Amino acid sequence: MKAQLATPLEHVHVKQYVQSDEWWAEQKLDGQRFLVLVAEGEISAFNRNGVEMTLPDQIAADFVSFKTADTMWHFDGELVDGEYHIFDVLWAGDTCDGGMTDKPLEQRRNRLEKIFSFWEPDHCHLVRCAKTETEKADLITKLERECSEGAVLKKRTATYNVHGKRVKTWLKLKFVQCADVVVMELERDGKPQAVTIGMYADHLIYRQESELKLEEVAGCKVPANIELEVGDVLEVRYLYATPDRKLTQPVFVRRRTDKQPKECTMSGQLKYTSKEIW
């Protein structure tokens, strides 16, 4: 089974969903989507595309108590730094009558909350759900200020029956953007953990690859244990790009060995609109 996916939401439309009683909000987590299935005494995990994955031992141990006869459990969540954050349940209990995918979100959420009322796992967590207008506004404001990846708005009457595709009853609101950049300079301003990063300007005219110009877009701090050289490709997160093509508050994500510097172009990567939520 593939995961149900959220459709991107523009910031200008957020307010109408926050004000509506038909929509709830959750934090958008930046990890790896995992569907966990406990059936016939076995614990299995699948990624968003339905490919079987290896579940970390400490998380598998949390699900041992669900390995009982004639029951099946199926959860949807995000794996982040060895912790499993659950936000949906697709099957709960009896193997013949425990299906939840045709039930509305509010019913699935109630079932999840009941499960967590008696289940005390060490590495699994219930994702917070904001239901009222005040709760939703507070959550989104908090996530925005903390520069979290974003939020997901879900229609409380929606079922979970569209697998592997985006649905308009789940909407994802991203607060940060991602870009691939090139290391232009080490020890920026004399700081050992700071680098100058750039991107190739290809947005004004169509140029030959040999004519692309590498332009500085920001400075970025990198972890002390990351060894870099000029020309390395990094993935960074940023809030938005300014009109002069500079990245606002870029944060190091990882070093990329699967991309070449000339692939780090401005077109398709720079987002110039700041986050005007309210």
Side-chain angles (χ1 to χ4, degrees):
M1 179 182 291
K2 298 182 179 181
Q4 182 167 282
L5 306 176
T7 298
L9 174 67
E10 296 293 335
H11 293 86
V12 294
H13 301 306
V14 175
K15 190 174 182 179
Q16 69 185 75
Y17 295 100
V18 170
Q19 293 177 335
S20 172
D21 293 336
E22 291 298 307
W23 292 81
W24 291 350
E26 300 171 359
Q27 179 177 358
K28 186 181 187 301
L29 297 165
D30 184 20
Q32 186 175 6
R33 189 77 172 271
F34 260 57
L35 293 165
V36 175
L37 173 66
V38 185
E40 299 180 352
E42 298 293 333
I43 302 172
S44 306
F46 304 86
N47 67 11
R48 58 184 284 175
N49 296 316
V51 177
E52 188 165 4
M53 306 293 288
T54 299
L55 193 65
D57 291 341
Q58 71 273 17
I59 297 176
D62 280 342
F63 285 100
V64 169
S65 60
F66 289 91
K67 296 169 61 175
T68 57
D70 300 322
T71 64
M72 183 166 72
W73 306 85
H74 201 176
F75 298 94
D76 192 358
E78 199 87 2
L79 184 66
V80 183
D81 297 330
E83 303 288 304
Y84 187 48
H85 302 265
I86 300 173
F87 50 73
D88 217 324
V89 57
L90 312 184
W91 199 283
D94 191 284
T95 54
C96 297
D97 193 30
M100 302 291 293
T101 56
D102 61 342
K103 304 294 192 297
L105 172 62
E106 57 187 349
Q107 190 169 334
R108 303 197 308 273
R109 179 70 193 192
N110 288 339
R111 189 74 175 96
L112 260 184
E113 292 174 355
K114 289 180 180 178
I115 291 171
F116 271 87
S117 69
F118 63 79
W119 184 35
E120 297 181 354
D122 294 322
H123 299 280
C124 296
H125 313 276
L126 178 62
V127 174
R128 175 191 170 190
C129 181
K131 301 176 182 180
T132 68
E133 180 177 348
T134 299
E135 289 175 347
K136 287 181 284 185
D138 288 347
L139 175 63
I140 291 175
T141 299
K142 177 178 180 292
L143 295 174
E144 179 192 10
R145 288 175 177 171
E146 293 176 350
C147 293
S148 299
E149 186 185 14
V152 180
L153 291 148
K154 299 179 178 180
K155 194 169 185 178
R156 66 182 182 86
T157 56
T159 60
Y160 192 126
N161 283 316
V162 181
H163 306 287
K165 296 182 180 180
R166 301 194 183 280
V167 295
K168 293 184 178 180
T169 52
W170 284 18
L171 304 173
K172 61 179 180 180
L173 172 70
K174 296 190 72 172
F175 300 141
V176 294
Q177 308 295 333
C178 290
D180 296 318
V181 299
V182 182
V183 176
M184 298 180 66
E185 175 191 27
L186 303 177
E187 298 189 6
R188 178 184 175 93
D189 298 328
K191 299 177 181 178
Q193 291 177 246
V195 297
T196 299
I197 54 177
M199 302 172 73
Y200 282 93
D202 65 338
H203 57 288
L204 299 179
I205 59 175
Y206 290 100
R207 309 185 187 197
Q208 297 295 322
E209 182 176 304
S210 60
E211 298 176 343
L212 293 178
K213 180 182 177 183
L214 185 62
E215 294 186 3
E216 177 183 336
V217 293
C220 180
K221 184 178 180 180
V222 297
N225 63 334
I226 302 295
E227 295 185 5
L228 297 175
E229 296 181 0
V230 171
D232 282 346
V233 175
L234 308 181
E235 179 182 344
V236 298
R237 288 183 188 155
Y238 66 98
L239 297 181
Y240 57 89
T242 59
D244 59 348
R245 304 191 297 278
K246 303 296 182 183
L247 302 187
T248 302
Q249 297 183 28
V251 176
F252 173 86
V253 176
R254 58 173 172 153
R255 181 185 172 210
R256 298 204 63 165
T257 58
D258 58 335
K259 280 212 167 186
Q260 297 298 315
K262 288 294 179 69
E263 295 181 76
C264 303
T265 57
M266 292 181 176
S267 63
Q269 292 205 95
L270 293 187
K271 306 296 182 182
Y272 293 96
T273 305
S274 61
K275 308 185 309 300
E276 298 295 338
I277 300 294
W278 309 118

